[in-house]
Amino acid sequence: PCLDNRRRLANLTGALRRHLLFPLRSRPCMTTKTVAILLFPDVLMLDVAGPIEVFSVANRYLPESDHYRIVTLGAESLSVRASNGIVMQADQLAVDAPVAYDTLLVPGGPGAYNERHPHLYGWLREAAQASRRHGAVCTGAFILGEAGLLDGHRVTTHWHYLDRLAKRFPKAQLETDLLFTKDLSLIHI
């Protein structure tokens, strides 16, 4: 399990670099790019911390005018308990937050594949449409699927959850041999 998590973090870092960081560096007139990460009860902290660290490290190498601004959005409350028991503090509630971001990410965890978040789906659909790109880290795909955002799109997730994702969202085009996918503005890592 530990080696699997290290590989997952390495794959996440590589995919984020290839599909989020470097394509943006060549844009001529850069402004601060906001990356929003959704927090919900029982979220996997690795899926939150990994992307935050990638963007944080990228900021060390970018001019200040090109920095990523990272915000965390609480799905139900500002105080969110992760699957490991640690309580995280969101910057603001998703329902009170703006809907347009450069990148909107939904992390995974038991709270993504075992729970439902119907109060969030309308906001998530609106935010996905208004944002430059949106996506999921690992099993965060289940939340996007519940919001209807996987239908007709190429997606992937952790190998252990592929069958469950395919059964729950048959209209999604599941990629079983890929570590990440990019389909228009939708990314899955």
Side-chain angles (χ1 to χ4, degrees):
C2 187
L3 183 59
D4 188 42
N5 282 340
R6 277 192 232 131
R7 281 188 187 130
R8 235 177 106 210
L9 186 57
N11 291 335
L12 168 70
T13 302
L16 284 172
R17 281 186 185 144
R18 284 187 299 280
H19 292 282
L20 297 179
L21 304 180
F22 296 121
L24 292 176
R25 292 179 87 178
S26 62
R27 290 169 61 197
C29 187
M30 301 289 283
T31 59
T32 300
K33 299 163 294 291
T34 302
V35 177
I37 300 175
L38 189 64
L39 304 180
F40 49 87
D42 234 7
V43 65
L44 187 67
M45 187 173 267
L46 175 66
D47 288 3
V48 175
I52 288 174
E53 287 301 317
V54 168
F55 289 109
S56 174
V57 170
N59 282 345
R60 295 181 198 165
Y61 299 97
L62 294 170
E64 192 170 337
S65 61
D66 292 348
H67 277 194
Y68 293 91
R69 180 175 163 260
I70 302 162
V71 297
T72 53
L73 306 174
E76 298 171 15
S77 68
L78 292 177
S79 179
V80 179
R81 186 171 301 278
S83 61
N84 63 5
I86 293 176
V87 176
M88 295 181 282
Q89 186 71 24
D91 294 314
Q92 62 187 128
L93 289 174
V95 295
D96 297 333
V99 293
Y101 300 97
D102 189 63
T103 304
L104 172 63
L105 290 176
V106 179
Y113 53 83
N114 286 335
E115 302 297 326
R116 300 289 197 275
H117 308 274
H119 62 284
L120 195 59
Y121 302 147
W123 177 88
L124 195 51
R125 283 189 293 273
E126 185 181 354
Q129 186 173 16
S131 296
R132 182 167 180 251
R133 72 182 136 238
H134 63 283
V137 178
C138 201
T139 57
F142 284 85
I143 292 177
L144 292 182
E146 291 293 336
L149 295 169
L150 298 185
D151 294 355
H153 290 283
R154 294 175 53 240
V155 299
T156 194
T157 192
H158 187 279
W159 63 268
H160 185 72
Y161 300 95
L162 287 169
D163 287 341
R164 192 187 305 189
L165 189 70
K167 287 176 186 163
R168 233 159 101 185
F169 308 106
K171 294 180 183 176
Q173 299 171 13
L174 192 62
E175 297 285 352
T176 59
D177 293 329
L178 297 177
L179 298 175
F180 63 90
T181 61
K182 184 173 187 230
D183 187 350
L184 302 173
S185 65
L186 178 64
I187 53 173
H188 284 269
I189 303 165

